[in-house]
Amino acid sequence: MCNLYKARSSAEEIARLFGAHPDPAAQIAVEKDYVAPGKPGYVVREQDNQRILSAMSWGFPFQGRPVTNVRNYSSPFWKSALTNPSRRCLVPVTEFQEWSVEPMPDTGKKKPFWFRVPSQPIFAFAGIWRPTEGVPVYSFLTCGYEGDPAAHAVGAIHPKACPVILHPEDYDRWLHADVDDALSLACAYPSQLMAIGNG
C-alpha cells in the first residue's frame, strides 16, 4: 500500500504538463514536495470541459482516518466516485514509496524503496475525488499483478498491490470513459518502464 509519494515540481509546471488551469476555488496550498495521508496534494480534474489543477487532502475519511488507496472497486465506499467520470482525477507524481515486506537482515528494519518512471519526470496515478464540507479529498487506485508478483519491479517489494500508473495517452480515457472501460486501465505498469532508487 502506497502511503507516501513525491511531487517535486511547481504547480505551474504540473499545470503546463497536464494542460490544466489553476483552480480558483482551491482552499489549501501544497507546501511540501512529498505527500502523506491526510496532507494536501495536487490533482488534475475536469470541469466545464477543461482540466483544472486543484489541491485536495489525500484520503477519503473513514472512522477518523484517511483511506488513501482504492483496492476493492466494487465497494460502495468507492463505487459512486468510480462510476462518475466527473469524480475521477489524475494524481501527479514524481516518485512513490513502498516498504520492504521483511526487515533487512543487517538492521532489522524495513527498507523504503522509491519508484519512478524515467521517461516521465511527472507521471499520474488514476485517482478519484469527492467534495466534503471542508477541503475536497482524493485517493488513487491500486491493483494486483498478472502472474507472479515477484516478477514485477513493485511486486518484488510489495506483492499485495501496486498503484495504478496511467500512460499519458490514457489520461482522457480515465477522465471520460464509462466505468468498465476506465477500470480496464487498472493494471500494473510495465516493470521495464520503471526505475528503483533511494528517494
Side-chain angles (χ1 to χ4, degrees):
M1 173 167 37
C2 177
N3 273 324
L4 191 67
Y5 71 89
K6 296 178 181 178
R8 287 180 165 169
S9 194
S10 66
E12 292 77 15
E13 175 62 14
I14 293 172
R16 185 194 64 78
L17 182 65
F18 288 87
H21 300 278
D23 186 350
Q27 299 177 19
I28 56 174
V30 178
E31 299 176 352
K32 300 181 182 296
D33 66 358
Y34 66 88
V35 186
K39 302 300 182 183
Y42 290 117
V43 305
V44 176
R45 60 186 179 86
E46 284 217 350
Q47 179 177 306
D48 299 327
N49 297 314
Q50 68 177 8
R51 290 185 182 178
I52 303 292
L53 179 66
S54 297
M56 301 182 183
S57 182
W58 183 22
F60 280 36
F62 180 71
Q63 295 183 350
R65 300 182 66 184
V67 183
T68 57
N69 296 171
V70 183
R71 287 188 280 183
N72 179 2
Y73 309 151
S74 62
S75 167
F77 188 73
W78 306 116
K79 197 168 184 180
S80 61
L82 286 170
T83 56
N84 183 350
S86 70
R87 291 290 180 260
R88 295 190 210 130
C89 62
L90 308 172
V91 181
V93 181
T94 55
E95 296 175 282
F96 68 93
Q97 180 193 282
E98 296 288 4
W99 289 94
S100 61
V101 174
E102 299 296 331
M104 298 293 104
D106 52 340
T107 65
K109 297 180 179 179
K110 293 185 177 183
K111 180 179 178 180
F113 290 85
W114 288 90
F115 298 87
R116 58 189 174 87
V117 178
S119 65
Q120 298 180 61
I122 307 174
F123 54 94
F125 293 149
I128 56 175
W129 72 280
R130 80 175 184 205
T132 67
E133 291 183 3
V135 175
V137 296
Y138 72 98
S139 187
F140 56 76
L141 277 64
T142 61
C143 64
Y145 308 90
E146 287 189 17
D148 182 7
H152 191 274
V154 180
I157 306 301
H158 189 76
K160 289 186 178 180
C162 175
V164 174
I165 300 171
L166 296 170
H167 296 276
E169 59 268 27
D170 291 326
Y171 291 171
D172 278 337
R173 188 171 156 202
W174 173 250
L175 293 173
H176 296 115
D178 67 64
V179 64
D180 291 335
D181 188 19
L183 288 178
S184 71
L185 298 172
C187 55
Y189 198 75
S191 286
Q192 64 269 27
L193 300 181
M194 304 178 74
I196 307 174
N198 296 318

